[in-house]
Amino acid sequence: MEKETIPTCVDCGTQNCKYKDRTYPDFCPTDNLKEEDRQWALERYDEGRNREIMIASAKVEYEGYCQWTRVQEIMEFARKIGAHRIGIANCIGLIREARIFARILRANGFEAYSVICKVAGQPKTSMGIPAQCESIGAAMCNPILQARLLNEAHTDLNVVIGLCVGHDSLFYKYSDAYVTTLVTKDRVTGNNPTAALYTADSYYRKKFFGGK
């Protein structure tokens, strides 16, 4: 028997949380929200710089809506939060993109500080990673060390460029500075992962859904 699917936000057809002139579905988390959860989230915006970050983010969204590229959005956001030293946590496979981004940052008055994923050159097998994984490169990615070195460099904002799935998760966890992502790696689609979503009902249908 197929397990019953519990409906969530992706199953909503109204998005009344945004429009406010429609009807919430029965399962809507907004309509069924506990007041203590709402208050808990609102109180978190008073911690550290969270409210400042939210306001700066909203201003960037408004001012550059459908006009600014993500590169420009990152620079405008950095300016609004007073970030000068920008950390770059990049994949070695995207070193060209990281160099271009660093050049753009420097041309616009920022300091760029990069740490590449293979920093320290630690063998994969030394961490218990299966030996066959070294066939595509002997050195492991080291996102925790990337984060530590950027922390020691006292970066004001960190930008991820192409870290692998999972490695990015560890970097986000250990970074002291706020983190945003410029490039999400997808080797198959030329670093455009949404291409697989856009073709999920055509070219990628059998790959994602089998015979369905």
Side-chain angles (χ1 to χ4, degrees):
M1 294 180 63
E2 291 189 7
K3 188 176 181 180
E4 182 181 358
T5 299
I6 299 174
T8 60
C9 288
V10 295
D11 303 298
C12 173
T14 71
Q15 286 84 55
N16 192 46
C17 52
K18 174 182 178 180
Y19 296 104
K20 299 295 185 183
D21 59 357
R22 305 174 182 180
T23 303
Y24 289 117
D26 292 339
F27 60 82
C28 177
T30 296
D31 203 32
N32 294 287
L33 189 65
K34 291 185 290 186
E35 185 58 27
E36 63 190 82
D37 289 336
R38 184 197 304 273
Q39 287 302 317
W40 179 88
L42 292 176
E43 289 167 6
R44 299 291 79 73
Y45 291 110
D46 288 324
E47 292 182 351
R49 302 183 66 191
N50 291 349
R51 186 176 295 273
E52 176 190 0
I53 296 298
M54 280 296 295
I55 293 172
S57 302
K59 287 181 177 179
V60 168
E61 179 189 18
Y62 166 73
E63 293 170 11
Y65 198 76
C66 294
Q67 299 180 67
W68 295 343
T69 65
R70 192 169 180 91
V71 169
Q72 188 172 355
E73 286 185 336
I74 289 172
M75 292 192 294
E76 296 298 336
F77 173 70
R79 291 188 181 101
K80 290 184 186 303
I81 65 171
H84 175 70
R85 176 173 284 193
I86 310 300
I88 301 173
N90 64 286
C91 167
I92 198 167
L94 282 87
I95 184 63
R96 179 175 178 272
E97 291 84 348
R99 285 171 175 156
I100 294 170
F101 182 56
R103 193 166 79 242
I104 293 170
L105 288 175
R106 290 164 180 161
N108 283 272
F110 296 99
E111 181 180 355
Y113 193 99
S114 165
V115 179
I116 206 163
C117 64
K118 300 298 184 182
V119 62
Q122 188 79 19
K124 290 178 181 176
T125 51
S126 70
M127 282 291 294
I129 297 171
Q132 61 263 34
C133 294
E134 292 192 345
S135 65
I136 57 172
M140 63 177 256
C141 294
N142 206 332
I144 293 177
L145 183 56
Q146 281 179 290
R148 181 176 178 86
L149 294 179
L150 290 177
N151 292 344
E152 291 180 351
H154 302 292
T155 53
D156 303 312
L157 174 69
N158 289 331
V159 179
V160 166
I161 296 182
L163 296 188
C164 295
V165 171
H167 298 155
D168 53 1
S169 303
L170 288 170
F171 180 80
Y172 299 143
K173 180 176 181 178
Y174 286 95
S175 172
D176 287 345
Y178 287 96
V179 183
T180 190
T181 299
L182 176 56
V183 181
T184 301
K185 180 196 289 175
D186 189 328
R187 298 178 182 90
V188 174
T189 64
N191 301 320
N192 177 22
T194 55
L197 303 180
Y198 297 143
T199 58
D201 290 322
S202 55
Y203 300 112
Y204 273 81
R205 184 177 180 85
K206 288 186 178 179
K207 185 179 290 289
F208 289 148
F209 303 109
K212 296 181 180 180

